[in-house]
């Protein structure tokens, strides 16, 4: 039989598993140790363009995709794998770009609109308008407690942060160029952003919008595929089309409201600076940039997504061909 075509790949909320949507069903894998947990093959059609897991439970969100989709691409199907059937659905006027799940919320992303639903009864709670968002960019906090949602704003380079507990909305002008990727720390207090230039990654405090740190991936333009914080927000991983994954050390201290992540003195790792940084007032900003503390080199041109593994100092990298690559 012909090898299945991979339509979608994504980690679950704690990065312990990943899901793959293929042209006739979907697959769920454990990251460490790597093994297939289960699979579903559909008889007719079968293309799944989005598979969003809810941690490790039996509930998933599915969206049809590919040349022969299992479901209309404008619908989100809530799938119960214990019953092997859909137990709910949400319909829209245009294609669904992505879905994000929390234990209490379902977030559906369209080209220029985001809908937030209560998970228990599928009641619509909030609508957000965005700039054109073909990639379906949206992240939500997964820590126990209040929901923080980040999505593109209405201007190029702008991100919108929704703090639902305090009912506050914060707009951050993160970049001059179009936003292509962002990530949240588990508690929703830190936001990492990258633009279409792909040279700099910026880390913001989501509470007050202040810029906490700026790190440099490189000097030449690149397409950033994914960003990921470690569970303790000590590290940030960045994957790009240059065939590299960079890991940066974060120096977040207690100087920002609600944040105290000063690094342990027993593990003093800092991002290297250019040797010419002592004359940074004269030379361009490039020479005073913070650089990665580690890099992993992969096949250039392939698409990779990255996350931190559950073992200490471990990065899990997934290629678009579905091969897991673990680097320590």
């Amino acid at each position: 039989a012909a090898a299945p075509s991979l339509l979608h790949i994504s980690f679950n909320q704690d990065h312990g598993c990943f899901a793959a949507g293929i042209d006739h069903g979907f697959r769920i894998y454990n990251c460490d140790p790597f093994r297939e947990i289960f699979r579903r093959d559909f008889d007719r059609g079968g293309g799944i363009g989005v598979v969003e897991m809810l941690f490790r439970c039996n509930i998933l969100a599915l969206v049809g995709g590919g040349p022969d989709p299992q479901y209309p691409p404008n619908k989100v199907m809530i799938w119960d794998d214990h019953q092997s059937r859909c137990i709910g659905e949400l319909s829209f006027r245009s294609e669904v770009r992505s879905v994000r799940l929390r234990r209490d919320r379902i977030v559906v992303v369209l080209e220029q609109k985001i809908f937030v639903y209560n998970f228990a009864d599928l009641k619509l709670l909030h609508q957000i308008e965005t700039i054109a968002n073909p990639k379906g960019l949206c992240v939500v906090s997964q820590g126990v407690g209040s929901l923080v949602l980040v999505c593109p704003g209405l201007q190029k380079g702008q991100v919108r942060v929704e703090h639902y507990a305090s009912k506050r909305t914060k707009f951050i002008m993160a970049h001059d160029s179009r936003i292509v990727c962002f990530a949240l720390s588990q508690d929703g207090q830190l936001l990492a952003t990258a633009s279409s230039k792909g040279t700099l990654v910026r880390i913001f405090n989501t509470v007050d919008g202040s810029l906490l740190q700026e790190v440099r991936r490189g000097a030449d333009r690149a397409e950033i595929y994914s960003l990921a914080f470690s569970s303790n927000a000590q590290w940030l991983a960045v994957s790009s089309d240059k065939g590299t994954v960079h890991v940066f050390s974060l120096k977040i201290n207690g100087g920002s409201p609600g944040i105290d992540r000063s690094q342990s003195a027993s593990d003093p790792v800092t991002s290297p600076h250019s040797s010419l940084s002592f004359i940074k007032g004269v030379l361009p900003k490039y020479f005073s940039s913070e650089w990665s503390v580690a890099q992993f080199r992969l096949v250039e041109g392939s698409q990779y997504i990255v996350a931190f593994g559950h073992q200490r100092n471990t990065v899990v990298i997934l290629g678009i061909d579905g091969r897991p690559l673990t680097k320590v």
Side-chain angles (χ1 to χ4, degrees):
S5 296
L6 186 64
L7 303 177
H8 168 91
I9 195 166
S10 64
F11 287 101
N12 73 339
Q13 288 82 356
D14 66 5
H15 304 150
C17 298
F18 68 92
I22 59 174
D23 55 6
H24 58 270
F26 62 90
R27 309 279 189 266
I28 305 295
Y29 297 89
N30 190 67
C31 289
D32 187 17
F34 171 66
R35 62 184 176 88
E36 183 181 298
I37 299 176
F38 65 83
R39 62 171 59 197
R40 286 291 173 263
D41 293 311
F42 297 118
D43 296 332
R44 296 183 300 276
I48 298 296
V50 174
V51 190
E52 181 73 4
M53 301 178 66
L54 181 60
F55 292 93
R56 288 175 175 264
C57 81
N58 53 298
I59 303 298
L60 303 101
L62 305 178
V63 179
D68 197 3
Q70 174 70 9
Y71 307 110
N74 65 325
K75 287 188 176 184
V76 175
M77 312 301 292
I78 309 303
W79 175 272
D80 182 344
D81 205 69
H82 284 174
Q83 302 182 46
S84 296
R85 69 180 184 89
C86 290
I87 58 172
E89 68 176 68
L90 298 166
S91 297
F92 305 91
R93 294 180 179 177
S94 59
E95 277 192 30
V96 174
R97 299 300 185 185
S98 67
V99 182
R100 300 288 180 260
L101 297 183
R102 277 174 48 108
R103 299 188 193 279
D104 56 351
R105 297 289 184 268
I106 300 173
V107 180
V108 181
V109 185
L110 308 183
E111 177 88 25
Q112 291 186 289
K113 212 164 221 184
I114 293 175
F115 298 88
V116 181
Y117 295 88
N118 187 46
F119 211 135
D121 56 9
L122 301 185
K123 180 183 177 181
L124 179 62
L125 302 176
H126 192 204
Q127 296 184 47
I128 302 171
E129 291 189 8
T130 70
I131 196 170
N133 184 19
K135 288 187 174 182
L137 299 179
C138 182
V139 289
V140 295
S141 61
Q142 292 296 336
V144 176
S146 61
L147 167 62
V148 179
L149 180 151
V150 178
C151 63
L154 288 170
Q155 303 176 41
K156 181 179 68 174
Q158 183 188 68
V159 291
R160 173 174 178 157
V161 183
E162 290 287 339
H163 293 272
Y164 283 93
S166 58
K167 298 181 180 179
R168 292 175 57 246
T169 301
K170 186 72 182 178
F171 290 95
I172 302 173
M173 282 305 302
H175 299 270
D176 294 330
S177 305
R178 176 174 50 88
I179 301 289
V180 298
C181 194
F182 44 64
L184 266 179
S185 58
Q186 282 190 350
D187 59 9
Q189 289 192 349
L190 298 178
L191 169 68
T193 66
S195 75
S196 55
K197 288 184 178 179
T199 53
L200 296 173
V201 176
R202 293 182 172 131
I203 297 92
F204 296 91
N205 178 351
T206 62
V207 177
D208 62 9
S210 60
L211 176 63
L212 301 176
Q213 193 173 345
E214 182 178 87
V215 297
R216 181 173 289 276
R217 184 214 54 81
D220 53 341
R221 184 180 290 269
E223 183 176 356
I224 303 298
Y225 289 136
S226 73
L227 302 169
F229 285 97
S230 62
S231 59
N232 60 0
Q234 182 182 357
W235 309 102
L236 178 74
V238 182
S239 68
S240 75
D241 64 347
K242 298 299 183 182
T244 57
V245 171
H246 294 257
V247 178
F248 297 91
S249 176
L250 300 183
K251 305 191 303 293
I252 309 304
N253 55 42
S256 300
I259 295 179
D260 184 8
R261 291 189 177 83
S262 52
Q263 191 166 288
S264 169
S266 63
D267 192 17
V269 179
T270 58
S271 296
H273 289 67
S274 164
S275 60
L276 298 175
S277 60
F278 68 98
I279 50 174
K280 62 184 179 181
V282 178
L283 293 176
K285 194 174 182 180
Y286 172 87
F287 292 100
S288 61
S289 295
E290 293 182 44
W291 298 80
S292 57
V293 298
Q295 290 185 33
F296 306 124
R297 296 211 167 270
L298 307 163
V299 178
E300 187 171 349
S302 295
Q303 185 170 343
Y304 301 94
I305 61 172
V306 64
F308 285 88
H310 288 190
Q311 295 185 32
R312 179 178 169 83
N313 297 338
T314 302
V315 175
V316 180
I317 305 165
L318 298 179
I320 198 63
D321 59 1
R323 292 181 300 165
L325 303 170
T326 304
K327 302 285 184 178
V328 180

